[in-house]
Amino acid sequence: MRAIFKRELKSYFTSPIGYILLSIFCILTALTFCTSNLKYSYTSMTDLFQFIMAWVLMIMAPILTMKLMSEEKKLKTDQLLLTSPVSIPGIVIGKFLSALVFFLIALSSTLLYVLVTFIYGKPDVGLLIGNYLAIIFLASSFLAIGIFISSLTENQL
C-alpha cells in the first residue's frame, strides 16, 4: 500500500497536471480571499470556504481521480497490481490517500490567508476549524466517488 501511495503521489508531481492544478487552486483561492476578505476588511472566511467547497472541489476532485484506476486499465497495468502482494482494498486505499494528500497540500496554501486574517483581525477559531474539517470530509467523499467512477471506466474522460 505504501508503494502505491508513493507512486501515485509522485505521479502528481512528475506530470504537469499536478502543478497546473496547484497553481489554479492557489490563484482562485487568492482571488476569492482578496475580493471577499481583504477588500472589505472581513475576518470571516466563509466565502472562501464556500467557494472551495462549491466550485473548486467539483472541478478538482474529478481531475485528481479519473486517472487513478482507468489509466491502469488502459495501460494494462491493472493485472500487475492485482497480482502484487497488496490486497485490493490496499490498492484502493493507497490511491485514495495519495489523492487526498495532494488535495491537502493544495489546501495548506490557504493557511497563509488564515495567518493574514489573524494578524489583522480576530477571526472565530471554531468556525475556521469547522470549515477546514468540512472541506476535508467533503473532499474525501468526492475523491472516493471519483475513484469508484474511475474504476468503472477505461477512459479518463
Side-chain angles (χ1 to χ4, degrees):
M1 184 171 84
R2 183 177 291 148
I4 294 169
F5 169 75
K6 287 180 183 178
R7 182 185 68 139
E8 292 298 330
L9 190 60
K10 189 173 125 184
S11 75
Y12 286 123
F13 292 107
T14 56
S15 68
I17 192 73
Y19 292 108
I20 291 170
L21 277 176
L22 280 176
S23 61
I24 290 172
F25 181 84
C26 289
I27 289 169
L28 290 176
T29 55
L31 287 174
T32 304
F33 179 72
C34 288
T35 58
S36 65
N37 290 81
L38 294 182
K39 185 176 180 181
Y40 300 111
S41 299
Y42 193 54
T43 59
S44 177
M45 295 177 59
T46 53
D47 292 339
L48 175 69
F49 292 124
Q50 287 175 352
F51 175 75
I52 291 172
M53 284 193 274
W55 296 104
V56 174
L57 274 176
M58 283 197 300
I59 295 168
M60 193 171 179
I63 293 173
L64 282 175
T65 57
M66 283 313 289
K67 76 175 193 95
L68 289 177
M69 295 294 194
S70 61
E71 191 169 307
E72 300 287 345
K73 287 181 185 177
K74 182 179 172 183
L75 298 175
K76 306 290 188 220
T77 56
D78 57 340
Q79 296 301 320
L80 291 172
L81 277 177
L82 294 174
T83 57
S84 66
V86 181
S87 65
I88 293 175
I91 294 169
V92 173
I93 290 171
K95 289 179 177 283
F96 169 76
L97 287 178
S98 67
L100 184 63
V101 166
F102 182 81
F103 179 76
L104 291 177
I105 290 169
L107 188 64
S108 68
S109 68
T110 62
L111 292 175
L112 178 66
Y113 312 141
V114 173
L115 180 66
V116 169
T117 307
F118 269 108
I119 290 173
Y120 293 109
K122 301 228 184 271
D124 186 12
V125 178
L127 185 66
L128 285 173
I129 292 171
N131 280 326
Y132 272 111
L133 285 175
I135 287 175
I136 291 169
F137 290 144
L138 186 65
S140 298
S141 65
F142 279 13
L143 293 173
I145 292 168
I147 289 174
F148 172 68
I149 292 173
S150 174
S151 70
L152 298 177
T153 63
E154 285 188 24
N155 192 356
Q156 291 182 27
L157 299 177

